[in-house]
Amino acid sequence: MRKAEGGTRNRACGRRAVGPAPRTEPGPVVPRSAFRVPRSLLGVALLALVSIGCQGDGRTPLVIYSPHGRDLLTLLERRFEQLHPDVDVRWLDMGSQEVYDRLRSERANPQADVWFGGPATIFAQGAGDSLLEPFRPSWAEVIEPHGRGPRDLYYAAYETPAVIVYAEQAVKSDEAPRDWDDLLDPRWKGKILIRDPLASGTMRAVWGMIIERGLQQTHDTAAGFQWLRRLDAQTKEYVLNGPLLDQKIVRQEGLVTIWDLPDILLSRRDGLPLGYVFPNSGTPVIEDAIAVVRNARHRAQARAFVEYVGSVAAQLAATREAYRLPARLDLPVDSLPPWAREVRRVMQVATVDWDLLAERGADWMRYWDQTVRGHGR
């Protein structure tokens, strides 16, 4: 299982994902110095090894960097390869911030063809760093105008809401936090786990919403950062990745967290006892984007994949099988599964100035890391 920012998988020669093995609970402790290999170099080396070992396959490799996790990536990989049997889709699953950092480090020698997934705000940073190549898919006009990146550099594929999550076996539904400020209640002190915001586009969006909320109320960011300090005082741990976060909540190492809806729905489908709440005052709904990497080695195949992801067939498959809210505005309501219709009905969307977040979010996160993390009160 797993959506965004989770573990990845490795499969046989000529197939699928490349990159590190799944991120799971640690085994015996081994000194880090014994394996101190830069992650970017490790990924490049693994890509090279896969390429060398699969030279006889004959298909064109299409390398995708994505935080979307195996459920969605496997689904689209198989559907796309059925339509394009001459293409071998290989994906590397990592946090959205990690994708951005990796693409920057590889800018002179791109290893990826497609960047698939992450808030449009981080894609805007990638556009400013010349990491993306213009491509206008045929479905561009059926996306919200704000979901269309400048100069056709990226487009929203899905809408991803953030929700408050709780351990169902320990917290009754009527006792779970109902809104953001409820997380500051003393009863949750030491019982909150948070996905590390420095690597998570989802958490950066939530933090940005909180800071902007204070900015709107007081014309200063101090109120938002003070709120985050209070939450830091409540927080037991900042967790490295999404799947581990889910597992820790299920094991009741913490009772409450904040995470994205698709991952929680996939986890519930797989039997994990996780409950969730749409905050009463509104939740940030992330424009989850896709783009062709600049100077991609397999440009034609990359464009074909972007075109496919936004197609009616792929949007409905992702909604029905991987709990993704489609970004397309032209899909008939009755074509959507019941869960998606219910989300559209009950979810209150928070007002977020995504342009401001794209402009100032990186500075805000640096300030949070230096002055808020571990300084809660």
Side-chain angles (χ1 to χ4, degrees):
M1 84 184 143
R2 208 66 358 167
K3 178 262 159 211
E5 296 158 309
T8 189
R9 63 184 181 136
N10 292 299
R11 297 180 65 171
C13 176
R15 301 297 295 170
R16 328 310 184 214
V18 294
R23 286 169 285 184
T24 57
E25 286 285 38
V29 176
V30 179
R32 291 185 180 181
S33 58
F35 300 98
R36 199 176 297 277
V37 180
R39 182 168 183 168
S40 59
L41 295 180
L42 176 61
V44 172
L46 285 168
L47 283 168
L49 287 172
V50 171
S51 178
I52 292 170
C54 301
Q55 288 178 350
D57 183 87
R59 294 180 297 161
T60 301
L62 178 67
V63 178
I64 299 170
Y65 288 177
S66 176
H68 279 319
R70 69 184 65 196
D71 289 272
L72 180 61
L73 293 173
T74 300
L75 171 69
L76 296 184
E77 166 202 349
R78 290 174 176 167
R79 298 288 182 94
F80 184 77
E81 287 184 351
Q82 289 173 357
L83 297 173
H84 301 270
D86 59 329
V87 176
D88 175 21
V89 175
R90 306 172 184 176
W91 44 263
L92 178 58
D93 176 17
M94 64 186 102
S96 55
Q97 183 65 33
E98 294 173 282
V99 174
Y100 168 72
D101 293 340
R102 188 166 188 143
L103 289 174
R104 285 193 66 190
S105 71
E106 297 172 352
R107 181 163 44 189
N109 183 27
Q111 302 297 307
D113 300 301
V114 176
W115 179 0
F116 179 31
T121 50
I122 200 169
F123 276 74
Q125 295 178 44
D129 289 335
S130 300
L131 303 180
L132 310 178
E133 181 167 295
F135 173 62
R136 185 178 182 82
S138 64
W139 43 269
E141 293 301 322
V142 297
I143 302 297
E144 282 279 6
H146 196 266
R148 309 169 198 168
R151 306 185 304 282
D152 296 322
L153 289 173
Y154 58 88
Y155 284 87
Y158 311 115
E159 296 179 345
T160 301
V163 292
I164 297 173
V165 182
Y166 60 93
E168 282 188 318
Q169 293 179 330
V171 180
K172 296 179 181 178
S173 61
D174 59 351
E175 297 176 350
R178 313 312 296 181
D179 211 345
W180 302 111
D181 288 348
D182 293 342
L183 296 172
L184 305 182
D185 190 304
R187 69 183 295 225
W188 303 117
K189 186 174 180 63
K191 299 177 182 178
I192 294 177
L193 302 177
I194 298 293
R195 168 73 164 99
D196 190 339
L198 292 188
S200 167
T202 297
M203 295 312 305
R204 284 172 177 251
V206 175
W207 268 208
M209 178 200 68
I210 295 297
I211 296 168
E212 282 190 30
R213 184 179 68 172
L215 191 60
Q216 292 168 4
Q217 294 171 350
T218 67
H219 306 290
D220 194 282
T221 60
F225 282 111
Q226 180 57 30
W227 192 97
L228 292 173
R229 285 189 187 92
R230 292 177 64 190
L231 182 64
D232 181 80
Q234 302 276 87
T235 300
K236 178 181 179 181
E237 179 186 355
Y238 293 97
V239 182
L240 292 177
N241 61 68
L244 185 56
L245 178 64
D246 290 353
Q247 294 293 337
K248 283 177 174 287
I249 293 293
V250 169
R251 292 196 299 262
Q252 299 177 31
E253 295 179 28
L255 299 183
V256 177
T257 188
I258 303 165
W259 197 227
D260 67 71
L261 179 63
D263 185 79
I264 298 307
L265 293 177
L266 285 168
S267 296
R268 286 169 59 87
R269 182 198 68 184
D270 293 337
L272 297 188
L274 297 172
Y276 66 92
V277 174
F278 287 108
N280 292 333
S281 62
T283 188
V285 178
I286 297 165
E287 294 171 331
D288 215 320
I290 188 170
V292 176
V293 175
R294 186 182 183 191
N295 296 324
R297 297 182 180 186
H298 310 105
R299 179 179 293 125
Q301 291 78 12
R303 291 180 172 183
F305 186 81
V306 172
E307 180 67 36
Y308 173 69
V309 165
S311 69
V312 171
Q315 290 268 288
L316 290 178
T319 302
R320 292 167 180 167
E321 301 185 39
Y323 297 102
R324 288 286 160 183
L325 284 175
R328 289 187 71 126
L329 302 175
D330 62 339
L331 299 179
V333 173
D334 59 6
S335 69
L336 302 177
W339 77 264
R341 281 177 271 169
E342 179 66 9
V343 167
R344 296 287 193 203
R345 186 183 70 83
V346 304
M347 179 175 63
Q348 177 70 32
V349 179
T351 300
V352 178
D353 186 341
W354 296 106
D355 293 331
L356 178 64
L357 186 53
E359 177 186 349
R360 301 183 61 185
D363 291 335
W364 288 348
M365 289 308 304
R366 279 191 291 271
Y367 185 79
W368 174 86
D369 190 43
Q370 293 168 3
T371 69
V372 176
R373 185 203 294 263
H375 297 80
R377 59 180 185 273

